[in-house]
């Protein structure tokens, strides 16, 4: 296994979902998956009032405003104007 704290942020595979679940609803959410033969879910973060993305194990903390600006600067390769 890789020891990469930010791996869950980039470990997308077919059939994976990202769900935002209120802490009070976490037990019911987890129970919904408990009956599966191989339930695979894990908490990868918490939503807070603070305007930043933090990955504690990776020592990463970036302002959401900075992330949004970087995302908007990224050119769309699927856009017709690039053809």
């Amino acid at each position: 296994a890789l020891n990469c704290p930010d791996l869950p942020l980039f470990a997308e595979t077919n059939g994976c979902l990202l769900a935002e679940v209120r802490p009070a609803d976490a037990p019911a959410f987890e129970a919904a998956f408990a009956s599966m033969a191989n339930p695979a879910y894990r908490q990868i973060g918490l939503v807070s009032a603070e305007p930043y993305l933090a990955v504690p194990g990776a020592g990463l903390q970036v302002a959401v405003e900075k992330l949004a600006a970087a995302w908007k600067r990224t050119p769309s390769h699927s856009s017709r104007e690039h053809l």
Side-chain angles (χ1 to χ4, degrees), residues 9-23:
L9 298 176
F10 305 102
E12 298 175 16
T13 60
N14 290 335
C16 285
L17 302 172
L18 177 64
E20 182 178 340
V21 179
R22 293 182 297 187

Side-chain angles (χ1 to χ4, degrees), residues 55-82:
V55 182
L60 175 69
Q61 183 171 317
V62 183
V64 171
E65 183 177 292
K66 192 171 186 176
L67 292 168
W71 178 75
K72 289 178 182 178
R73 274 194 315 270
T74 304
S76 171
H77 297 292
S78 63
S79 173
R80 293 183 146 251
E81 64 192 60
H82 295 291

Side-chain angles (χ1 to χ4, degrees), residues 18-22 25-34 41-42:
L18 177 64
E20 182 178 340
V21 179
R22 293 182 297 187
D25 295 331
F29 179 83
E30 292 170 6
F33 289 92
Y41 61 87
R42 67 176 161 172

